[in-house]
Amino acid sequence: QVQLVESGGGLVQPGGSLRLSCAASGFTFSTRAMSWVRQAPGKGLEWVSAIGSIVSSTGYADSVKGRFTISRDNAKNTLYLQMNSLKPEDTALYYCVTGWGISSPQGQGTQVTVSS
């Protein structure tokens, strides 16, 4: 079955950077678009970014455009999210999901906390 394991979160000061990873298994990773979504405390799921099975196709929420970069390594079945210039409002539990857009997370997520 589909298994997605997120990692790389942590506590970082405003302006800092983090790189999230998502290890995928149980499906043909290279043929699927993938997305990152997040859920801040007390709020619903928010789509953050997506990447097509063809790496040249990417998309970003306005809130993260210019600061976050999504990428993938199909040889390693791994999805990444490089997050720079982090802001307190980026604090959330981050999940990777299959497809382009919001869908119910299947992994445990990785917590990102941006605070001084």
Side-chain angles (χ1 to χ4, degrees), residues 6 48 96:
E6 302 91 347
V48 174
C96 61

Side-chain angles (χ1 to χ4, degrees), residues 6-7 17 21 26 59 68-69 73 78 83 88 96 99 113:
E6 302 91 347
S7 63
S17 298
S21 298
F68 290 10
T69 303
D73 186 336
T78 302
M83 306 186 297
C96 61
T113 302

Side-chain angles (χ1 to χ4, degrees), residues 19-42:
R19 188 194 196 202
L20 306 185
S21 298
C22 169
S25 60
F27 64 104
T28 307
F29 179 75
S30 61
T31 66
R32 296 295 302 274
M34 296 291 296
S35 295
W36 287 97
V37 300
R38 66 187 182 185
Q39 187 164 25

Side-chain angles (χ1 to χ4, degrees), residues 40-78:
K43 296 187 177 181
L45 281 174
E46 177 190 13
W47 176 77
V48 174
S49 181
I51 186 167
S53 57
I54 299 173
V55 176
S56 60
S57 175
T58 60
Y60 298 92
D62 288 343
S63 58
V64 306
K65 199 172 293 182
R67 300 187 297 120
F68 290 10
T69 303
I70 191 171
S71 62
R72 65 191 297 162
D73 186 336
N74 288 339
K76 295 183 178 180
N77 286 356
T78 302

Side-chain angles (χ1 to χ4, degrees), residues 79-96:
L79 178 72
Y80 302 101
L81 186 68
Q82 177 67 44
M83 306 186 297
N84 299 328
S85 302
L86 282 161
K87 303 176 181 180
E89 50 264 44
D90 295 318
T91 294
L93 191 57
Y94 284 71
Y95 302 92
C96 61

